[in-house]
Amino acid sequence: MVDHVAGENVNQVVDSGKGVPDSPGYELPLLLFGGFRTLIDRLHTRLADEGHPDLRPAHGFAMQAIGVRGATASEIGRRLGVSKQAAGKTVDRLLALGYAERADDPADARRKLVHLTPRGYDALARSAAGFDELRAEWCATLGTDRVRALEADLRNVVPEETAFRLDATSWLGGA
């Protein structure tokens, strides 16, 4: 586990391997997560500047789980790998922020579907554009060929069925 305390990198398991040609295995997932976290944090800074200051990463996952057809809280929970109650809390927050709305399911009046609002679609469109800009920045820094190679390498080692799963919150312990 890595913590950043007072500017120090503190690894509670082992703190070695920096600058070594064959780094220890634990660094790879931490670096991949660090890259993910950097992209997500920078995206949310941009989204805040573009009128979405209350949007959080969990909200983006939830909006993806809602999809274009809408979904029930139970379906959202399954797609995210969290309980119906945890999904319901996130949905309630999206409703309060104006990113989603509830409506009767035309196929079953007992069910309530959650749909994205125009504000929700705007946030997703801005996210997509932001990710394109961030990828372009990585290409400018690393070179387009290296970024493409990195993406291709990750496609080779990440099983296709898990490449775009939304349920990271279930193994990170949050909702």
Side-chain angles (χ1 to χ4, degrees):
M1 170 158 284
V2 173
D3 253 332
H4 289 280
V5 179
E8 292 182 37
N9 182 19
V10 180
N11 187 306
Q12 298 171 1
V13 179
V14 177
D15 197 9
S16 64
K18 302 291 182 227
V20 178
D22 288 325
S23 295
Y26 71 83
E27 284 190 356
L28 177 61
L30 293 175
L31 289 168
L32 288 168
F33 183 71
F36 172 80
R37 177 72 191 259
T38 298
L39 289 169
I40 296 298
D41 288 349
R42 291 190 60 211
L43 175 73
H44 280 269
T45 297
R46 288 175 186 216
L47 288 171
D49 291 343
E50 295 176 2
H52 298 282
D54 296 319
L55 198 63
R56 301 291 174 256
H59 300 150
F61 283 108
M63 288 192 294
Q64 292 292 332
I66 292 167
V68 295
R69 292 187 182 93
T72 65
S74 293
E75 291 167 336
I76 295 165
R78 277 194 301 278
R79 292 172 186 169
L80 295 175
V82 299
S83 70
K84 177 183 175 182
Q85 293 78 11
K89 281 182 157 182
T90 302
V91 166
D92 287 344
R93 187 70 181 137
L94 290 173
L95 294 169
L97 294 171
Y99 291 105
E101 60 191 4
R102 279 197 179 100
D104 290 332
D105 183 344
D108 183 350
R110 298 170 295 173
R111 291 175 17 130
K112 294 285 187 191
L113 289 178
V114 179
H115 293 277
L116 297 176
T117 63
R119 181 168 171 76
Y121 284 114
D122 179 68
L124 289 179
R126 289 176 185 273
S127 292
F131 279 128
D132 287 344
E133 291 170 14
L134 290 166
R135 184 184 182 279
E137 289 176 17
W138 279 39
C139 288
T141 301
L142 301 173
T144 301
D145 290 343
R146 288 188 68 197
V147 172
R148 285 181 182 154
L150 174 62
E151 291 167 336
D153 290 343
L154 288 170
R155 284 186 191 98
N156 284 329
V157 297
V158 174
E160 186 176 333
E161 65 275 7
T162 62
F164 297 103
R165 283 178 52 184
L166 301 175
D167 65 348
T169 55
S170 66
W171 53 264
L172 290 175

